[in-house]
Structures are given as structure tokens and as C-alpha cells.
Amino acid sequence: DIFESYYNDTENEKTDYMRKYIFLTCLYEEIDYESDKLECERTKFDFHSFDWLKTETAITETENYLFDEFWFRYWK
């Protein structure tokens, strides 16, 4: 609701934005997030798993040791 009201406000100078809603899950197994995936289809959200984020995008380590240690080395 906050995003909708901000971007629909006629006083807002930034009118060239296109909103896209994304649901990102950190569950491991596809069976664990099947109901989430169905709900995303129903509500027009793009569904992605963290594994997709790590393998299908250009996101690489950030040079922040604690973040990278957890998300890129511990989380497998």
C-alpha cells in the first residue's frame, strides 16, 4: 500500500517507474515452497529462490566478510 500510494501520488515527480513485485524465498527444497509459488502466480509476484539468485544472476560476493561468509559459503 505504501508503494502504491507513493507512486500514484500526482505530486510525485518520478512517474517513469514500473513496479515489479518479487517474492524471494530461502527455503532449500522445491517441495518446501510449492505453496508459495502458487500464491505468487495468483498475486502476480515473480517467484525466486535464493538458489536462483546465487546461480542465475550476476550477483557475486560483496567483500563484506560476514555477509559473504553466510550467503555464499555457509548457505548451500
PDB file of all heavy atoms in Angstrom, residues 49-75:
ATOM      1  N   SER A  49      13.901 -18.353  -5.802  1.00  0.00           N
ATOM      2  CA  SER A  49      14.535 -18.926  -4.622  1.00  0.00           C
ATOM      3  C   SER A  49      15.923 -18.320  -4.480  1.00  0.00           C
ATOM      4  O   SER A  49      16.481 -17.785  -5.441  1.00  0.00           O
ATOM      5  CB  SER A  49      14.645 -20.443  -4.751  1.00  0.00           C
ATOM      6  OG  SER A  49      15.542 -20.757  -5.791  1.00  0.00           O
ATOM      7  N   PHE A  50      16.484 -18.417  -3.298  1.00  0.00           N
ATOM      8  CA  PHE A  50      17.827 -17.881  -3.099  1.00  0.00           C
ATOM      9  C   PHE A  50      18.828 -18.628  -3.972  1.00  0.00           C
ATOM     10  O   PHE A  50      19.779 -18.040  -4.475  1.00  0.00           O
ATOM     11  CB  PHE A  50      18.234 -17.939  -1.631  1.00  0.00           C
ATOM     12  CG  PHE A  50      19.553 -17.265  -1.399  1.00  0.00           C
ATOM     13  CD1 PHE A  50      19.670 -15.899  -1.481  1.00  0.00           C
ATOM     14  CD2 PHE A  50      20.684 -18.003  -1.128  1.00  0.00           C
ATOM     15  CE1 PHE A  50      20.886 -15.265  -1.292  1.00  0.00           C
ATOM     16  CE2 PHE A  50      21.906 -17.390  -0.936  1.00  0.00           C
ATOM     17  CZ  PHE A  50      22.007 -16.020  -1.015  1.00  0.00           C
ATOM     18  N   ASP A  51      18.596 -19.900  -4.195  1.00  0.00           N
ATOM     19  CA  ASP A  51      19.481 -20.664  -5.060  1.00  0.00           C
ATOM     20  C   ASP A  51      19.490 -20.071  -6.469  1.00  0.00           C
ATOM     21  O   ASP A  51      20.532 -19.949  -7.093  1.00  0.00           O
ATOM     22  CB  ASP A  51      19.048 -22.129  -5.104  1.00  0.00           C
ATOM     23  CG  ASP A  51      20.041 -22.986  -5.843  1.00  0.00           C
ATOM     24  OD1 ASP A  51      21.238 -22.944  -5.496  1.00  0.00           O
ATOM     25  OD2 ASP A  51      19.620 -23.686  -6.782  1.00  0.00           O
ATOM     26  N   TRP A  52      18.325 -19.668  -6.973  1.00  0.00           N
ATOM     27  CA  TRP A  52      18.249 -18.999  -8.274  1.00  0.00           C
ATOM     28  C   TRP A  52      19.071 -17.716  -8.250  1.00  0.00           C
ATOM     29  O   TRP A  52      19.804 -17.423  -9.185  1.00  0.00           O
ATOM     30  CB  TRP A  52      16.790 -18.678  -8.616  1.00  0.00           C
ATOM     31  CG  TRP A  52      16.648 -17.794  -9.805  1.00  0.00           C
ATOM     32  CD1 TRP A  52      16.591 -18.182 -11.110  1.00  0.00           C
ATOM     33  CD2 TRP A  52      16.571 -16.374  -9.820  1.00  0.00           C
ATOM     34  NE1 TRP A  52      16.480 -17.078 -11.925  1.00  0.00           N
ATOM     35  CE2 TRP A  52      16.467 -15.959 -11.149  1.00  0.00           C
ATOM     36  CE3 TRP A  52      16.578 -15.402  -8.819  1.00  0.00           C
ATOM     37  CZ2 TRP A  52      16.366 -14.618 -11.519  1.00  0.00           C
ATOM     38  CZ3 TRP A  52      16.480 -14.068  -9.188  1.00  0.00           C
ATOM     39  CH2 TRP A  52      16.381 -13.691 -10.527  1.00  0.00           C
ATOM     40  N   LEU A  53      18.946 -16.956  -7.178  1.00  0.00           N
ATOM     41  CA  LEU A  53      19.673 -15.699  -7.058  1.00  0.00           C
ATOM     42  C   LEU A  53      21.176 -15.919  -7.133  1.00  0.00           C
ATOM     43  O   LEU A  53      21.893 -15.171  -7.788  1.00  0.00           O
ATOM     44  CB  LEU A  53      19.304 -15.020  -5.737  1.00  0.00           C
ATOM     45  CG  LEU A  53      19.768 -13.601  -5.526  1.00  0.00           C
ATOM     46  CD1 LEU A  53      19.103 -12.666  -6.514  1.00  0.00           C
ATOM     47  CD2 LEU A  53      19.461 -13.168  -4.108  1.00  0.00           C
ATOM     48  N   LYS A  54      21.642 -16.983  -6.493  1.00  0.00           N
ATOM     49  CA  LYS A  54      23.078 -17.276  -6.485  1.00  0.00           C
ATOM     50  C   LYS A  54      23.575 -17.852  -7.802  1.00  0.00           C
ATOM     51  O   LYS A  54      24.710 -17.619  -8.184  1.00  0.00           O
ATOM     52  CB  LYS A  54      23.418 -18.249  -5.355  1.00  0.00           C
ATOM     53  CG  LYS A  54      23.359 -17.603  -3.998  1.00  0.00           C
ATOM     54  CD  LYS A  54      23.719 -18.488  -2.831  1.00  0.00           C
ATOM     55  CE  LYS A  54      24.278 -19.816  -3.056  1.00  0.00           C
ATOM     56  NZ  LYS A  54      24.593 -20.565  -1.874  1.00  0.00           N
ATOM     57  N   THR A  55      22.741 -18.592  -8.517  1.00  0.00           N
ATOM     58  CA  THR A  55      23.226 -19.300  -9.700  1.00  0.00           C
ATOM     59  C   THR A  55      22.827 -18.663 -11.025  1.00  0.00           C
ATOM     60  O   THR A  55      23.526 -18.838 -12.010  1.00  0.00           O
ATOM     61  CB  THR A  55      22.728 -20.757  -9.705  1.00  0.00           C
ATOM     62  OG1 THR A  55      21.306 -20.760  -9.686  1.00  0.00           O
ATOM     63  CG2 THR A  55      23.282 -21.527  -8.518  1.00  0.00           C
ATOM     64  N   GLU A  56      21.735 -17.941 -11.063  1.00  0.00           N
ATOM     65  CA  GLU A  56      21.212 -17.435 -12.342  1.00  0.00           C
ATOM     66  C   GLU A  56      21.383 -15.924 -12.532  1.00  0.00           C
ATOM     67  O   GLU A  56      20.929 -15.384 -13.531  1.00  0.00           O
ATOM     68  CB  GLU A  56      19.725 -17.783 -12.470  1.00  0.00           C
ATOM     69  CG  GLU A  56      19.437 -19.263 -12.396  1.00  0.00           C
ATOM     70  CD  GLU A  56      20.046 -20.040 -13.560  1.00  0.00           C
ATOM     71  OE1 GLU A  56      20.086 -19.501 -14.682  1.00  0.00           O
ATOM     72  OE2 GLU A  56      20.482 -21.181 -13.329  1.00  0.00           O
ATOM     73  N   THR A  57      22.013 -15.261 -11.604  1.00  0.00           N
ATOM     74  CA  THR A  57      22.203 -13.819 -11.729  1.00  0.00           C
ATOM     75  C   THR A  57      23.689 -13.498 -11.654  1.00  0.00           C
ATOM     76  O   THR A  57      24.509 -14.351 -11.375  1.00  0.00           O
ATOM     77  CB  THR A  57      21.468 -13.049 -10.613  1.00  0.00           C
ATOM     78  OG1 THR A  57      22.067 -13.363  -9.364  1.00  0.00           O
ATOM     79  CG2 THR A  57      19.986 -13.377 -10.597  1.00  0.00           C
ATOM     80  N   ALA A  58      24.001 -12.259 -11.869  1.00  0.00           N
ATOM     81  CA  ALA A  58      25.401 -11.824 -11.839  1.00  0.00           C
ATOM     82  C   ALA A  58      25.833 -11.369 -10.447  1.00  0.00           C
ATOM     83  O   ALA A  58      26.877 -10.753 -10.298  1.00  0.00           O
ATOM     84  CB  ALA A  58      25.606 -10.689 -12.836  1.00  0.00           C
ATOM     85  N   ILE A  59      25.047 -11.684  -9.432  1.00  0.00           N
ATOM     86  CA  ILE A  59      25.396 -11.275  -8.073  1.00  0.00           C
ATOM     87  C   ILE A  59      26.600 -12.074  -7.605  1.00  0.00           C
ATOM     88  O   ILE A  59      26.620 -13.298  -7.677  1.00  0.00           O
ATOM     89  CB  ILE A  59      24.208 -11.456  -7.115  1.00  0.00           C
ATOM     90  CG1 ILE A  59      23.100 -10.497  -7.515  1.00  0.00           C
ATOM     91  CG2 ILE A  59      24.631 -11.229  -5.674  1.00  0.00           C
ATOM     92  CD1 ILE A  59      21.838 -10.654  -6.730  1.00  0.00           C
ATOM     93  N   THR A  60      27.598 -11.363  -7.149  1.00  0.00           N
ATOM     94  CA  THR A  60      28.819 -12.013  -6.670  1.00  0.00           C
ATOM     95  C   THR A  60      29.076 -11.575  -5.239  1.00  0.00           C
ATOM     96  O   THR A  60      28.343 -10.763  -4.680  1.00  0.00           O
ATOM     97  CB  THR A  60      30.023 -11.622  -7.539  1.00  0.00           C
ATOM     98  OG1 THR A  60      30.186 -10.199  -7.488  1.00  0.00           O
ATOM     99  CG2 THR A  60      29.821 -12.066  -8.978  1.00  0.00           C
ATOM    100  N   GLU A  61      30.121 -12.084  -4.687  1.00  0.00           N
ATOM    101  CA  GLU A  61      30.460 -11.732  -3.313  1.00  0.00           C
ATOM    102  C   GLU A  61      30.657 -10.226  -3.186  1.00  0.00           C
ATOM    103  O   GLU A  61      31.076  -9.550  -4.126  1.00  0.00           O
ATOM    104  CB  GLU A  61      31.693 -12.501  -2.877  1.00  0.00           C
ATOM    105  CG  GLU A  61      31.405 -13.990  -2.794  1.00  0.00           C
ATOM    106  CD  GLU A  61      32.486 -14.783  -2.100  1.00  0.00           C
ATOM    107  OE1 GLU A  61      33.298 -14.196  -1.375  1.00  0.00           O
ATOM    108  OE2 GLU A  61      32.502 -16.009  -2.293  1.00  0.00           O
ATOM    109  N   THR A  62      30.358  -9.720  -2.004  1.00  0.00           N
ATOM    110  CA  THR A  62      30.289  -8.268  -1.785  1.00  0.00           C
ATOM    111  C   THR A  62      31.539  -7.682  -1.143  1.00  0.00           C
ATOM    112  O   THR A  62      31.617  -6.478  -0.985  1.00  0.00           O
ATOM    113  CB  THR A  62      29.112  -7.947  -0.862  1.00  0.00           C
ATOM    114  OG1 THR A  62      29.372  -8.543   0.422  1.00  0.00           O
ATOM    115  CG2 THR A  62      27.803  -8.459  -1.434  1.00  0.00           C
ATOM    116  N   GLU A  63      32.450  -8.517  -0.717  1.00  0.00           N
ATOM    117  CA  GLU A  63      33.638  -8.138   0.040  1.00  0.00           C
ATOM    118  C   GLU A  63      33.314  -7.758   1.485  1.00  0.00           C
ATOM    119  O   GLU A  63      34.166  -7.285   2.217  1.00  0.00           O
ATOM    120  CB  GLU A  63      34.424  -7.016  -0.659  1.00  0.00           C
ATOM    121  CG  GLU A  63      34.956  -7.458  -2.009  1.00  0.00           C
ATOM    122  CD  GLU A  63      35.781  -6.398  -2.701  1.00  0.00           C
ATOM    123  OE1 GLU A  63      36.255  -5.458  -2.041  1.00  0.00           O
ATOM    124  OE2 GLU A  63      35.964  -6.530  -3.921  1.00  0.00           O
ATOM    125  N   ASN A  64      32.051  -7.970   1.894  1.00  0.00           N
ATOM    126  CA  ASN A  64      31.686  -7.858   3.302  1.00  0.00           C
ATOM    127  C   ASN A  64      31.808  -9.274   3.852  1.00  0.00           C
ATOM    128  O   ASN A  64      31.018 -10.154   3.522  1.00  0.00           O
ATOM    129  CB  ASN A  64      30.260  -7.338   3.456  1.00  0.00           C
ATOM    130  CG  ASN A  64      29.813  -7.288   4.898  1.00  0.00           C
ATOM    131  OD1 ASN A  64      29.872  -8.284   5.609  1.00  0.00           O
ATOM    132  ND2 ASN A  64      29.357  -6.133   5.320  1.00  0.00           N
ATOM    133  N   TYR A  65      32.808  -9.502   4.680  1.00  0.00           N
ATOM    134  CA  TYR A  65      33.150 -10.847   5.102  1.00  0.00           C
ATOM    135  C   TYR A  65      31.964 -11.580   5.743  1.00  0.00           C
ATOM    136  O   TYR A  65      31.677 -12.730   5.394  1.00  0.00           O
ATOM    137  CB  TYR A  65      34.333 -10.827   6.075  1.00  0.00           C
ATOM    138  CG  TYR A  65      34.699 -12.218   6.535  1.00  0.00           C
ATOM    139  CD1 TYR A  65      35.449 -13.063   5.723  1.00  0.00           C
ATOM    140  CD2 TYR A  65      34.246 -12.710   7.759  1.00  0.00           C
ATOM    141  CE1 TYR A  65      35.754 -14.348   6.118  1.00  0.00           C
ATOM    142  CE2 TYR A  65      34.542 -13.995   8.159  1.00  0.00           C
ATOM    143  CZ  TYR A  65      35.296 -14.810   7.341  1.00  0.00           C
ATOM    144  OH  TYR A  65      35.574 -16.087   7.729  1.00  0.00           O
ATOM    145  N   LEU A  66      31.264 -10.945   6.683  1.00  0.00           N
ATOM    146  CA  LEU A  66      30.177 -11.634   7.383  1.00  0.00           C
ATOM    147  C   LEU A  66      29.036 -11.984   6.432  1.00  0.00           C
ATOM    148  O   LEU A  66      28.496 -13.094   6.471  1.00  0.00           O
ATOM    149  CB  LEU A  66      29.655 -10.785   8.536  1.00  0.00           C
ATOM    150  CG  LEU A  66      30.617 -10.636   9.704  1.00  0.00           C
ATOM    151  CD1 LEU A  66      30.046  -9.670  10.734  1.00  0.00           C
ATOM    152  CD2 LEU A  66      30.910 -11.978  10.352  1.00  0.00           C
ATOM    153  N   PHE A  67      28.669 -11.052   5.566  1.00  0.00           N
ATOM    154  CA  PHE A  67      27.601 -11.322   4.603  1.00  0.00           C
ATOM    155  C   PHE A  67      28.003 -12.454   3.662  1.00  0.00           C
ATOM    156  O   PHE A  67      27.259 -13.415   3.472  1.00  0.00           O
ATOM    157  CB  PHE A  67      27.283 -10.051   3.803  1.00  0.00           C
ATOM    158  CG  PHE A  67      26.205 -10.250   2.790  1.00  0.00           C
ATOM    159  CD1 PHE A  67      24.875 -10.118   3.146  1.00  0.00           C
ATOM    160  CD2 PHE A  67      26.518 -10.578   1.481  1.00  0.00           C
ATOM    161  CE1 PHE A  67      23.870 -10.302   2.216  1.00  0.00           C
ATOM    162  CE2 PHE A  67      25.519 -10.773   0.537  1.00  0.00           C
ATOM    163  CZ  PHE A  67      24.192 -10.631   0.909  1.00  0.00           C
ATOM    164  N   ASP A  68      29.175 -12.322   3.074  1.00  0.00           N
ATOM    165  CA  ASP A  68      29.624 -13.336   2.108  1.00  0.00           C
ATOM    166  C   ASP A  68      29.816 -14.702   2.751  1.00  0.00           C
ATOM    167  O   ASP A  68      29.503 -15.721   2.134  1.00  0.00           O
ATOM    168  CB  ASP A  68      30.930 -12.884   1.446  1.00  0.00           C
ATOM    169  CG  ASP A  68      30.739 -11.673   0.549  1.00  0.00           C
ATOM    170  OD1 ASP A  68      29.576 -11.354   0.212  1.00  0.00           O
ATOM    171  OD2 ASP A  68      31.751 -11.047   0.205  1.00  0.00           O
ATOM    172  N   GLU A  69      30.309 -14.718   3.959  1.00  0.00           N
ATOM    173  CA  GLU A  69      30.517 -15.995   4.651  1.00  0.00           C
ATOM    174  C   GLU A  69      29.200 -16.735   4.799  1.00  0.00           C
ATOM    175  O   GLU A  69      29.122 -17.936   4.552  1.00  0.00           O
ATOM    176  CB  GLU A  69      31.147 -15.756   6.028  1.00  0.00           C
ATOM    177  CG  GLU A  69      31.359 -17.021   6.845  1.00  0.00           C
ATOM    178  CD  GLU A  69      32.421 -17.943   6.267  1.00  0.00           C
ATOM    179  OE1 GLU A  69      33.252 -17.504   5.447  1.00  0.00           O
ATOM    180  OE2 GLU A  69      32.419 -19.141   6.640  1.00  0.00           O
ATOM    181  N   PHE A  70      28.159 -16.037   5.184  1.00  0.00           N
ATOM    182  CA  PHE A  70      26.872 -16.695   5.367  1.00  0.00           C
ATOM    183  C   PHE A  70      26.208 -17.039   4.037  1.00  0.00           C
ATOM    184  O   PHE A  70      25.864 -18.183   3.776  1.00  0.00           O
ATOM    185  CB  PHE A  70      25.927 -15.832   6.207  1.00  0.00           C
ATOM    186  CG  PHE A  70      24.598 -16.487   6.423  1.00  0.00           C
ATOM    187  CD1 PHE A  70      24.466 -17.514   7.342  1.00  0.00           C
ATOM    188  CD2 PHE A  70      23.504 -16.111   5.682  1.00  0.00           C
ATOM    189  CE1 PHE A  70      23.245 -18.146   7.524  1.00  0.00           C
ATOM    190  CE2 PHE A  70      22.280 -16.734   5.861  1.00  0.00           C
ATOM    191  CZ  PHE A  70      22.153 -17.749   6.782  1.00  0.00           C
ATOM    192  N   TRP A  71      26.023 -16.057   3.169  1.00  0.00           N
ATOM    193  CA  TRP A  71      25.229 -16.250   1.964  1.00  0.00           C
ATOM    194  C   TRP A  71      25.938 -17.021   0.862  1.00  0.00           C
ATOM    195  O   TRP A  71      25.288 -17.685   0.055  1.00  0.00           O
ATOM    196  CB  TRP A  71      24.752 -14.909   1.417  1.00  0.00           C
ATOM    197  CG  TRP A  71      23.733 -14.295   2.310  1.00  0.00           C
ATOM    198  CD1 TRP A  71      23.906 -13.197   3.091  1.00  0.00           C
ATOM    199  CD2 TRP A  71      22.406 -14.755   2.560  1.00  0.00           C
ATOM    200  NE1 TRP A  71      22.760 -12.953   3.798  1.00  0.00           N
ATOM    201  CE2 TRP A  71      21.824 -13.885   3.493  1.00  0.00           C
ATOM    202  CE3 TRP A  71      21.656 -15.822   2.078  1.00  0.00           C
ATOM    203  CZ2 TRP A  71      20.524 -14.045   3.954  1.00  0.00           C
ATOM    204  CZ3 TRP A  71      20.354 -15.978   2.540  1.00  0.00           C
ATOM    205  CH2 TRP A  71      19.804 -15.102   3.459  1.00  0.00           C
ATOM    206  N   PHE A  72      27.260 -16.938   0.792  1.00  0.00           N
ATOM    207  CA  PHE A  72      27.945 -17.593  -0.325  1.00  0.00           C
ATOM    208  C   PHE A  72      28.752 -18.822   0.080  1.00  0.00           C
ATOM    209  O   PHE A  72      29.085 -19.639  -0.758  1.00  0.00           O
ATOM    210  CB  PHE A  72      28.848 -16.598  -1.059  1.00  0.00           C
ATOM    211  CG  PHE A  72      28.049 -15.553  -1.784  1.00  0.00           C
ATOM    212  CD1 PHE A  72      27.847 -14.308  -1.243  1.00  0.00           C
ATOM    213  CD2 PHE A  72      27.464 -15.852  -3.000  1.00  0.00           C
ATOM    214  CE1 PHE A  72      27.095 -13.352  -1.900  1.00  0.00           C
ATOM    215  CE2 PHE A  72      26.709 -14.900  -3.668  1.00  0.00           C
ATOM    216  CZ  PHE A  72      26.521 -13.665  -3.113  1.00  0.00           C
ATOM    217  N   ARG A  73      29.081 -18.964   1.338  1.00  0.00           N
ATOM    218  CA  ARG A  73      29.866 -20.141   1.738  1.00  0.00           C
ATOM    219  C   ARG A  73      29.085 -21.048   2.690  1.00  0.00           C
ATOM    220  O   ARG A  73      29.099 -22.257   2.530  1.00  0.00           O
ATOM    221  CB  ARG A  73      31.187 -19.688   2.356  1.00  0.00           C
ATOM    222  CG  ARG A  73      32.121 -19.132   1.289  1.00  0.00           C
ATOM    223  CD  ARG A  73      33.479 -18.753   1.827  1.00  0.00           C
ATOM    224  NE  ARG A  73      33.520 -17.462   2.478  1.00  0.00           N
ATOM    225  CZ  ARG A  73      33.476 -16.284   1.844  1.00  0.00           C
ATOM    226  NH1 ARG A  73      33.359 -16.245   0.539  1.00  0.00           N
ATOM    227  NH2 ARG A  73      33.539 -15.149   2.506  1.00  0.00           N
ATOM    228  N   TYR A  74      28.366 -20.486   3.632  1.00  0.00           N
ATOM    229  CA  TYR A  74      27.621 -21.313   4.579  1.00  0.00           C
ATOM    230  C   TYR A  74      26.317 -21.818   3.974  1.00  0.00           C
ATOM    231  O   TYR A  74      25.967 -22.969   4.088  1.00  0.00           O
ATOM    232  CB  TYR A  74      27.330 -20.512   5.862  1.00  0.00           C
ATOM    233  CG  TYR A  74      26.411 -21.215   6.810  1.00  0.00           C
ATOM    234  CD1 TYR A  74      26.868 -22.274   7.584  1.00  0.00           C
ATOM    235  CD2 TYR A  74      25.087 -20.844   6.918  1.00  0.00           C
ATOM    236  CE1 TYR A  74      26.024 -22.942   8.461  1.00  0.00           C
ATOM    237  CE2 TYR A  74      24.242 -21.508   7.785  1.00  0.00           C
ATOM    238  CZ  TYR A  74      24.703 -22.552   8.547  1.00  0.00           C
ATOM    239  OH  TYR A  74      23.853 -23.201   9.394  1.00  0.00           O
ATOM    240  N   TRP A  75      25.578 -20.928   3.324  1.00  0.00           N
ATOM    241  CA  TRP A  75      24.262 -21.256   2.784  1.00  0.00           C
ATOM    242  C   TRP A  75      24.412 -22.030   1.494  1.00  0.00           C
ATOM    243  O   TRP A  75      24.692 -21.484   0.455  1.00  0.00           O
ATOM    244  CB  TRP A  75      23.470 -19.982   2.520  1.00  0.00           C
ATOM    245  CG  TRP A  75      22.025 -20.251   2.236  1.00  0.00           C
ATOM    246  CD1 TRP A  75      21.522 -20.709   1.059  1.00  0.00           C
ATOM    247  CD2 TRP A  75      20.946 -20.100   3.126  1.00  0.00           C
ATOM    248  NE1 TRP A  75      20.171 -20.853   1.166  1.00  0.00           N
ATOM    249  CE2 TRP A  75      19.791 -20.486   2.414  1.00  0.00           C
ATOM    250  CE3 TRP A  75      20.816 -19.698   4.432  1.00  0.00           C
ATOM    251  CZ2 TRP A  75      18.539 -20.455   2.998  1.00  0.00           C
ATOM    252  CZ3 TRP A  75      19.573 -19.664   5.000  1.00  0.00           C
ATOM    253  CH2 TRP A  75      18.452 -20.058   4.291  1.00  0.00           C
TER     254      TRP A  75
END
